[in-house]
Amino acid sequence: MRRSELSDKKKNEIKSQKKNYIAQSQPPQLADLIFKSELGDEKFYSTNKVNVLSDIHSITGQLPFTSNGWNILAGDLSDSHVHDKGNVQGIAVIGNHEILDTSEMSAQELTQQYARNELYSSIDWSRLRIDDTKLYKKTQTILNQRYDGITWLNNESSMHSGIRYVGLTVPLVWIAQKTKYQQYIFQQLFKILGSDTATPTVIISHAPLCNELSLYPTNGYDLEDESIISKLSDYNILGFIHGHHHIRRIIETREIQKRKVFVICSIFSGLNHGIDLWPLLHSLDLNGSIVEAVRYLE
């Protein structure tokens, strides 16, 4: 497994496209001011068969699109208590903004628990624990009530058209306690995968699991335990999907002990209303190779 080449060449590319770019610093609402919008509609209709999106951060109380396909939503969908009555079908994973968006705590209580100071926007996310199962279960329950057509996965899996989708709850990147947190994440993953090494599998999380499976590597977040690589190679993993970093949509390939997998990040903006994963999955079904399909999607 190799670290993303985005760290140098493509980061400079991104910086030239986005003014004052810092990963995950630019809210998606500003993306249309930075990137040239391809479609420009406030609300659009997706015809993608398997649509991949993340980091919508809706401030209107509704999702900005409808879809006749099946959607994979990699977290941070709402900053406005979005309710969707079945206009969008699919699965989603919990991001850090879902925790804020479903919290029953007052602003003062949130500040006391998570914030650096009295400003609600200045939250010290490092105080959030990856093993806070009570918090994530509560968040998941509220989200499932708000989104009629979406199943929120909280360290669990769902089958669709012969593919197993594993949704991991990784709301952010932890650096200071990387070893402990990566160990917990991969323990959860291997527990979900179990003894089934044959079923084609796609793994989704809001924040990436490690730099080697990230499209915007973060200093100090390389994979700590390299034995995980050999364990991953035992399974029929097709690829990984993440969000969180607010970069434009990117698809790359990685190698897990000479086995190619895809890594996708697909933030919502006027420039990107979703990547259709279907051609890539169809290519995998036909010949087991993802290289040509990735080139097609790019």
Side-chain angles (χ1 to χ4, degrees), residues 14 31 232 271:
I14 289 170
L232 286 173
L271 181 72

Side-chain angles (χ1 to χ4, degrees), residues 16-272:
S16 72
Q17 294 165 342
K18 294 185 76 173
K19 298 175 182 178
N20 303 318
Y21 180 80
I22 301 174
Q24 76 197 55
S25 68
Q26 300 287 359
Q29 290 81 9
L30 298 181
D32 288 346
L33 303 178
I34 299 166
F35 290 130
K36 181 181 177 182
S37 176
E38 290 178 341
L39 299 174
D41 297 329
E42 286 189 13
K43 185 143 185 152
F44 76 97
Y45 180 71
S46 171
T47 58
N48 290 346
K49 291 189 72 172
V50 179
N51 192 42
V52 180
L53 274 175
S54 74
D55 298 272
I56 296 171
H57 291 277
S58 172
I59 57 173
T60 64
Q62 61 181 346
L63 293 178
F65 71 100
T66 58
S67 169
N68 67 346
W70 195 73
N71 296 268
I72 302 170
L73 305 172
D76 279 11
L77 307 190
S78 171
D79 290 322
S80 59
H81 296 186
V82 163
H83 286 70
D84 187 79
K85 298 301 181 183
N87 294 316
V88 176
Q89 306 285 323
I91 57 173
V93 293
I94 297 170
N96 50 312
H97 280 255
E98 268 76 43
I99 295 164
L100 292 182
D101 205 46
T102 59
S103 177
E104 295 176 353
M105 291 189 288
S106 66
Q108 183 178 2
E109 289 170 327
L110 279 167
T111 297
Q112 291 172 350
Q113 183 158 346
Y114 294 119
R116 291 189 177 93
N117 54 44
E118 70 278 1
L119 296 176
Y120 178 77
S121 61
S122 184
I123 291 178
D124 183 2
W125 285 112
S126 67
R127 298 176 67 181
L128 191 68
R129 299 199 332 266
I130 197 168
D131 59 351
D132 193 342
T133 56
K134 183 177 179 181
L135 172 64
Y136 300 135
K137 182 62 179 176
K138 184 177 181 180
T139 301
Q140 179 191 31
T141 298
I142 295 171
L143 292 169
N144 279 328
Q145 293 169 351
R146 290 183 182 175
Y147 298 79
D148 288 354
I150 297 174
T151 299
W152 288 80
L153 300 179
N154 174 26
N155 293 335
E156 52 203 333
S157 65
S158 177
M159 292 292 299
H160 180 76
S161 298
I163 308 292
R164 172 173 59 176
Y165 293 90
V166 175
L168 296 175
T169 300
V170 188
L172 65 148
V173 170
W174 284 273
I175 302 298
Q177 301 184 60
K178 176 187 70 172
T179 302
K180 172 186 173 182
Y181 281 29
Q182 284 185 355
Q183 183 181 43
Y184 181 85
I185 292 166
F186 284 104
Q187 280 178 349
Q188 296 302 309
L189 173 58
F190 291 124
K191 181 179 177 181
I192 297 164
L193 294 175
S195 60
D196 181 358
T197 59
T199 301
T201 300
V202 174
I203 297 167
I204 308 126
S205 59
H206 177 59
L209 307 185
C210 57
N211 276 344
E212 289 80 358
L213 299 171
S214 171
L215 290 178
Y216 199 91
T218 304
N219 289 338
Y221 201 59
D222 289 357
L223 189 63
E224 185 74 15
D225 183 359
E226 293 191 0
S227 70
I228 288 171
I229 299 172
S230 61
K231 293 179 183 177
L232 286 173
S233 67
D234 291 338
Y235 295 91
N236 188 11
I237 295 174
L238 306 181
F240 297 80
I241 296 170
H242 75 81
H244 189 56
H245 287 305
H246 292 193
I247 55 178
R248 64 181 299 175
R249 72 180 191 178
I250 299 175
I251 307 170
E252 288 187 0
T253 58
R254 296 285 187 278
E255 287 189 0
I256 298 178
Q257 293 196 340
K258 299 185 179 179
R259 177 187 176 87
K260 288 187 181 296
V261 298
F262 64 78
V263 183
I264 294 176
C265 183
S266 178
I267 179 182
F268 174 83
S269 71
L271 181 72
N272 177 40

